[in-house]
Amino acid sequence: VVRAVTRSNLEHSARLVSSRNISHLITVPSLAATLLALEKLEDHFAALKTWTLSGEKLDGELLSRLHTALPNCRFVNELM
């Protein structure tokens, strides 16, 4: 859980995903869009197999950018 979203928080979270070999992640789409701006996202998220996006509308353009950045990851849209 990230309380205040800052670039250093995001970079730390990305390194954590990498160091723990996290394979499943759940975020809101707006956080996913922000994470796309990080350098080496594909390296940090190399072990990620499934990314669930929930809580907000996921637009097609963002989904396309996610697929391009992480082609081996499955994206699940769980808008409730």
Side-chain angles (χ1 to χ4, degrees), residues 9-69:
N9 288 118
L10 293 174
E11 290 169 350
H12 174 75
S13 296
R15 286 192 304 272
L16 184 64
V17 168
S18 177
S19 68
R20 301 285 172 94
N21 290 317
I22 292 174
S23 61
H24 292 73
L25 185 64
I26 301 171
T27 69
V28 293
S30 57
L31 180 56
T34 303
L35 286 166
L36 278 172
L38 293 177
E39 291 182 23
K40 301 182 182 180
L41 180 69
E42 63 280 357
D43 294 339
H44 291 305
F45 286 19
L48 195 63
K49 302 297 179 209
T50 303
W51 191 340
T52 301
L53 299 138
S54 182
E56 300 170 349
K57 181 181 177 189
L58 172 62
D59 67 48
E61 188 270 334
L62 175 57
L63 183 58
S64 177
R65 289 175 46 217
L66 288 166
H67 276 292
T68 299

